[in-house]
Amino acid sequence: MSWDSLPFELYERIFKNLDFWDRKPLSLVCRRWNQAVFSRPLCRNLCIEVSRGDWGPSGDKEQVVVVDEGVVEASERDYRVAYVKWCKDSSPEVLTSINRMLRELDEKCLLEGLIIDAPLGQMLSDFFRTHGELLARIRKLQVSTDTMDSRLIADRCVLKMDQLETLFWRELVSSDYLQNKRPLFVIEAPKLHSAVVRFGDSDSDRGVAWHNGFMELAQTSSLKALKMHLHPRMWNRFFEQKLDAMEHLTISHKAQDLQTRDWDCMFSNMPNLKSIQMWEADDAMLEAIHRHCLQLRVLLLDNVDLTRGFLSVDRVFPRLEHLRLETAKIQSNRTLYLPILKQLEWFNIKNQNDHILNVAAPMLQTLRQSRNGDSDFNLTTKSPLEKLQLDVYASDIPGHFFQPFPTMRDLSIRVSSARPDLDRMVQHFRNINELVLIAYNAPLQCDQMLNEMFKHCNNVTAITLCGFNPNLELSFPVFAQIFRNRNLKSLKMFGLTITGNSFPVQLPPELETFELRHVKVMDVAFGAYVFPPDQPHRVVCIKSDDCCSYSSKDCD
């Protein structure tokens, strides 16, 4: 049987094994292959530009170009998504052409998604009203606005979207248009599962032009995930309804607006939340979360002030598995019980009045902590830690690391402007497989720490040493000792200064990755690094200058 006689359905089954960009060139073979490549089962997100922006040769004014009607009529592709755009200077005729093309395209392809890039204003409202039937049927809607139309919206526009499942709504307007007291668009979407509402391009509060939002959701009983910039005077009615299906909530708002919302009422309507991420939080907010969100698994908080009571008593989060606290002020010498916590991230925390918060996390597996000299917390239980990233900005090391951690596998230490006593610490991690040491503006001499590692840690298979302004310092005998580890599979060294009499060193036979960059040997003696026999290069970086510099780029 020849390729030409294969059933069309068989083409689809064959091309289904390739991703879109791999099968797209096959559309040039013949018309039949083209139809199979762009068929509806294989192109669930195939998008056509009904109109697009064009800045022209001068580049000082954007013009909107509408697709030629003949292109839509002649196309045999089964498009799922349509993209439409107009700008604040577009004439009504442009919108009329867009509407005509979109209706024709919808009749031909039965669109499932719509992407709109247009200014807020009456033209956008008219567009929504014109395509009410289409909006009631599509499953995906993406709206991006960046300017305000000179023709303001007279009446509130209600969008009934019975099949909508995914929504992305982006607003970026100037401060001249902050006076609306109610939403201009209300979306009723009973099947909506996921929604993103942004005042800009970032999830956080950085660079946000805060304003009264122009859109609000209603009748969204199926909503599971919501990510949004929340203005204090908007969305109050939305959060007063029961949101039992909500599982994932991400909110960013202004710090000065924390007191303007009833957080207890809001979180009481979302009892099944499993993950919360918030920029700006305080005691009242945490109190409400702790009281009502009993199914919470993930809690990620940035810019937090917990100095007014929440941590003045012992607290328990019985189901929390991942906690991140970043850039926070706390005041507590009580205990935080986290019985099944597996991942803890603790960055830039200041515990006031020299208090130390006790954290009991007997199931903790991954810890990422920064230490800047301030008292913060103490890990009071022996945890089965497997991975540790410690950022040290002061010479003292948290006391809870001077105990055995037999399950530790990955140890990463980043030192900045400090000289901590790492050799006393590393001996407690006897079973590590990977060691990473990075120093910024910290003149560390690593001999003693590595000697302790050689003495106590026999399972190391990967070592990464990095020094930046100045280099890490290492004597050649200790440097050579690294290569005697027969289990070593990865060795990366960046920014090292090695002193002492050098001699040829044999690389371990199992070594798979070997990188040397900006490594200086302060010795006139000969130095050679020999690859394993099965490698294409035998010798790397044979030099005998006063200040030898070994780098992988020197390999022949």
Side-chain angles (χ1 to χ4, degrees):
M1 179 180 292
S2 67
W3 277 96
D4 294 337
S5 58
L6 287 178
F8 187 79
E9 293 76 12
L10 189 55
Y11 282 118
E12 290 182 342
R13 294 187 63 178
I14 294 173
F15 294 155
K16 187 178 180 180
N17 297 311
L18 303 173
D19 63 36
F20 177 75
W21 296 108
D22 287 336
R23 66 174 178 262
K24 185 178 178 181
L26 302 179
S27 65
L28 303 176
V29 173
C30 64
R31 183 179 297 272
R32 190 172 177 81
W33 283 36
N34 184 283
Q35 292 174 349
V37 167
F38 293 104
S39 64
R40 178 171 283 265
L42 298 185
C43 297
R44 303 193 62 86
N45 295 306
L46 190 61
C47 180
I48 181 173
E49 285 186 335
V50 176
S51 58
R52 65 177 184 272
D54 186 1
W55 288 94
S58 60
D60 57 347
K61 189 175 182 179
E62 186 179 20
Q63 300 291 332
V64 172
V65 179
V66 182
V67 67
D68 187 85
E69 188 172 355
V71 174
V72 176
E73 293 177 353
S75 176
E76 297 180 1
R77 296 179 182 177
D78 199 359
Y79 292 102
R80 296 291 189 94
V81 182
Y83 170 88
V84 298
K85 175 184 176 63
W86 65 88
C87 58
K88 63 180 181 179
D89 297 322
S90 297
S91 65
E93 289 76 16
V94 170
L95 187 58
T96 300
S97 299
I98 292 174
N99 290 336
R100 185 177 67 255
M101 291 293 99
L102 191 58
R103 278 194 294 265
E104 182 176 337
L105 189 65
D106 184 39
E107 292 176 359
K108 186 175 182 178
C109 300
L110 292 177
L111 296 172
E112 296 180 358
L114 190 59
I115 302 174
I116 304 170
D117 187 354
L120 289 163
Q122 190 62 44
M123 292 181 70
L124 182 57
S125 181
D126 293 342
F127 177 85
F128 284 139
R129 289 190 174 95
T130 300
H131 299 284
E133 292 184 5
L134 172 61
L135 293 175
R137 192 178 64 252
I138 62 174
R139 296 187 297 110
K140 300 178 182 179
L141 175 64
Q142 178 176 326
V143 179
S144 297
T145 65
D146 55 6
T147 58
M148 172 64 81
D149 192 343
S150 58
R151 289 152 289 187
L152 301 179
I153 299 175
D155 301 316
R156 185 170 63 168
C157 181
V158 179
L159 284 64
K160 296 184 179 295
M161 309 187 70
D162 297 336
Q163 303 302 320
L164 189 68
E165 298 176 359
T166 304
L167 171 67
F168 178 90
W169 187 284
R170 171 186 174 271
E171 298 175 5
L172 182 58
V173 300
S174 67
S175 58
D176 298 334
Y177 303 98
L178 308 181
Q179 305 306 318
N180 59 300
K181 297 182 180 180
R182 63 174 187 172
L184 304 179
F185 302 97
V186 176
I187 296 179
E188 297 180 359
K191 294 185 178 180
L192 185 65
H193 290 169
S194 174
V196 177
V197 183
R198 288 179 177 171
F199 294 167
D201 296 319
S202 173
D203 287 338
S204 70
D205 58 353
R206 297 177 179 87
V208 171
W210 292 99
H211 60 276
N212 294 352
F214 291 91
M215 186 278 295
E216 188 168 313
L217 294 175
Q219 300 181 16
T220 53
S221 57
S222 299
L223 188 62
K224 291 186 177 181
L226 175 62
K227 181 183 294 186
M228 68 179 308
H229 287 113
L230 182 61
H231 193 279
R233 290 186 292 276
M234 308 299 288
W235 289 69
N236 291 314
R237 182 174 299 179
F238 173 81
F239 285 113
E240 288 173 357
Q241 64 180 320
K242 281 292 184 180
L243 299 168
D244 292 333
M246 184 80 74
E247 296 182 356
H248 309 284
L249 178 66
T250 300
I251 290 181
S252 177
H253 49 86
K254 294 191 295 186
Q256 55 268 37
D257 296 330
L258 289 176
Q259 308 303 322
T260 61
R261 189 176 295 274
D262 187 346
W263 297 107
D264 190 77
C265 177
M266 173 176 163
F267 283 106
S268 68
N269 291 322
M270 297 181 285
N272 297 314
L273 278 174
K274 294 182 179 179
S275 71
I276 299 175
Q277 181 174 7
M278 305 193 78
W279 285 266
E280 307 293 347
D282 62 4
D283 295 87
M285 190 181 300
L286 264 292
E287 187 71 52
I289 292 173
H290 183 264
R291 180 181 297 119
H292 299 292
C293 304
L294 303 181
Q295 308 298 321
L296 195 63
R297 301 289 196 276
V298 178
L299 181 59
L300 311 177
L301 302 174
D302 196 347
N303 290 333
V304 185
D305 187 346
L306 300 179
T307 59
R308 299 181 181 179
F310 178 73
L311 291 176
S312 62
V313 296
D314 295 346
R315 296 288 185 176
V316 181
F317 284 90
R319 299 194 177 188
L320 200 63
E321 298 179 1
H322 182 188
L323 172 63
R324 184 176 76 207
L325 202 60
E326 185 169 359
T327 313
K329 293 185 296 183
I330 64 175
Q331 183 170 325
S332 178
N333 56 3
R334 308 296 294 188
T335 299
L336 183 62
Y337 292 98
L338 306 166
I340 65 170
L341 190 75
K342 296 179 181 179
Q343 182 173 351
L344 175 60
E345 299 175 87
W346 192 273
F347 299 127
N348 192 25
I349 311 300
K350 182 177 178 60
N351 198 340
Q352 297 182 351
N353 300 328
D354 294 327
H355 289 167
I356 297 179
L357 174 69
N358 296 310
V359 176
M363 302 299 293
L364 187 63
Q365 296 177 358
T366 300
L367 173 60
R368 298 174 62 201
Q369 179 184 358
S370 66
R371 178 74 168 182
N372 57 11
D374 295 319
S375 299
D376 40 37
F377 87 99
N378 181 45
L379 199 61
T380 60
T381 54
K382 287 188 176 181
S383 305
L385 272 180
E386 298 178 0
K387 187 174 183 178
L388 169 64
Q389 177 187 310
L390 178 62
D391 297 345
V392 182
Y393 300 94
S395 295
D396 60 326
I397 296 175
H400 48 249
F401 292 123
F402 293 98
Q403 59 177 315
F405 287 94
T407 57
M408 182 74 71
R409 296 296 180 264
D410 297 337
L411 176 60
S412 177
I413 303 173
R414 298 190 295 186
V415 181
S416 179
S417 304
R419 301 186 70 176
D421 192 2
L422 299 178
D423 52 288
R424 290 181 53 241
M425 173 184 168
V426 72
Q427 60 185 279
H428 297 288
F429 306 100
R430 293 176 177 267
N431 295 315
I432 59 172
N433 300 131
E434 181 176 355
L435 171 67
V436 177
L437 175 60
I438 303 174
Y440 306 89
N441 193 28
L444 291 182
Q445 217 292 336
C446 301
D447 279 10
Q448 192 166 351
M449 186 204 73
L450 290 178
N451 278 327
E452 289 295 323
M453 186 191 72
F454 298 146
K455 180 179 179 181
H456 299 285
C457 308
N458 299 318
N459 300 319
V460 178
T461 59
I463 298 176
T464 300
L465 302 175
C466 302
F468 302 95
N469 191 31
N471 286 3
L472 289 175
E473 297 179 6
L474 196 63
S475 68
F476 199 92
V478 176
F479 175 71
Q481 180 70 17
I482 296 175
F483 297 91
R484 298 193 183 106
N485 180 359
R486 311 303 290 178
N487 299 321
L488 200 61
K489 295 183 178 180
S490 174
L491 177 61
K492 300 177 182 180
M493 296 184 173
F494 312 101
L496 264 69
T497 298
I498 302 171
T499 60
N501 294 330
S502 60
F503 49 86
V505 177
Q506 179 76 36
L507 294 190
E510 301 297 325
L511 194 64
E512 299 173 357
T513 302
F514 178 48
E515 295 183 41
L516 292 177
R517 300 181 188 277
H518 305 290
V519 176
K520 298 181 179 179
V521 180
M522 307 298 290
D523 184 31
V524 182
F526 173 82
Y529 304 91
V530 182
F531 273 108
D534 58 339
Q535 295 294 329
H537 302 294
R538 299 298 185 195
V539 180
V540 183
C541 318
I542 300 179
K543 291 191 175 182
S544 58
D545 301 328
D546 290 340
C547 181
C548 299
S549 178
Y550 299 89
S551 173
S552 59
K553 67 181 181 181
D554 295 325
C555 303
D556 294 326

Coordinates of all heavy atoms in Angstrom, one line a residue, residues 146 172 285 360 421 458:
D146 N -4.0 47.7 27.4 CA -2.9 48.5 27.9 C -3.1 50.0 27.8 O -2.3 50.8 28.1 CB -1.6 48.2 27.1 CG -1.8 48.3 25.6 OD1 -2.9 48.8 25.2 OD2 -0.9 47.9 24.8
L172 N -3.5 47.1 32.1 CA -2.4 48.0 32.3 C -2.8 49.3 31.9 O -2.7 49.7 30.7 CB -1.1 47.5 31.6 CG 0.2 48.3 31.8 CD1 0.5 48.3 33.3 CD2 1.3 47.7 31.0
M285 N -4.4 38.1 58.6 CA -4.6 37.2 57.5 C -4.2 35.8 57.8 O -4.9 34.8 57.5 CB -3.7 37.8 56.3 CG -3.9 37.1 55.0 SD -2.9 37.8 53.7 CE -3.4 39.5 53.7
A360 N 9.2 22.8 64.9 CA 9.2 21.3 65.0 C 8.7 20.7 63.7 O 7.5 20.8 63.4 CB 8.3 20.9 66.2
D421 N 32.5 28.9 60.1 CA 33.3 27.7 60.4 C 32.7 26.5 59.8 O 32.0 25.7 60.4 CB 33.3 27.6 62.0 CG 34.3 26.6 62.5 OD1 35.1 26.1 61.6 OD2 34.4 26.4 63.7
N458 N 32.3 9.6 52.6 CA 32.9 8.6 51.7 C 32.1 8.4 50.5 O 32.4 7.6 49.6 CB 33.2 7.3 52.4 CG 34.2 7.5 53.6 OD1 35.2 8.2 53.4 ND2 33.9 6.8 54.7

